[in-house]
Amino acid sequence: QVQLVESGGGLVQPGGSLRLSCAASGSIFSTYAMGWYHQAPGKQREVVAHITSGGNTNYADSVKGRFTISRDNAKNTVYLQMNSLKPEDTAVYYCNAARFLESYWGQGTQVTVSS
């Protein structure tokens, strides 16, 4: 079992930055691939960024060059640095941990980009 707790969401103006954190507990964090997903009202949840247990990263085209995913295995935490935020980035952001057939989700944190 893995428990995930996201934090760092909030209201930010267009062009601003936020850093999301996802703290994990309950199992060997370093063996899990970690991902950030977002879900806007009326839309499906979709992947934003992903980092493997080995540190390889992938990004959705819409956030490439603006968002950076990273992990600190010593702190059991994964981060999402979001820069140059746009109104269309507004969504609930969820953290996911996956390993083999296991998949765990956090409760989500709201990010609102508005002037």
Side-chain angles (χ1 to χ4, degrees):
Q1 281 283 359
V2 176
Q3 294 79 44
L4 302 172
V5 179
E6 301 100 333
S7 60
L11 173 64
V12 63
Q13 292 187 342
S17 298
L18 283 175
R19 188 176 82 153
L20 305 183
S21 299
C22 173
S25 61
S27 191
I28 305 173
F29 174 77
S30 63
T31 65
Y32 285 82
M34 302 298 297
W36 284 99
Y37 292 70
H38 68 193
Q39 187 168 19
K43 295 188 177 181
Q44 290 189 334
R45 191 174 299 186
E46 56 186 21
V47 63
V48 174
H50 180 267
I51 185 167
T52 67
S53 58
N56 294 317
T57 58
N58 282 290
Y59 298 91
D61 287 343
S62 60
V63 307
K64 282 181 180 176
R66 299 190 298 123
F67 291 10
T68 302
I69 188 170
S70 60
R71 64 190 299 161
D72 186 336
N73 290 335
K75 295 183 177 179
N76 285 6
T77 301
V78 63
Y79 304 97
L80 185 68
Q81 178 67 44
M82 304 187 295
N83 299 327
S84 302
L85 282 160
K86 304 176 180 180
E88 51 264 43
D89 295 319
T90 295
V92 178
Y93 283 72
Y94 296 91
C95 177
N96 174 266
R99 184 181 70 176
F100 303 117
L101 297 180
E102 301 174 65
S103 182
Y104 303 97
W105 293 93
Q107 83 289 349
T109 185
Q110 176 70 46
V111 171
T112 302
V113 185
S114 175
S115 55

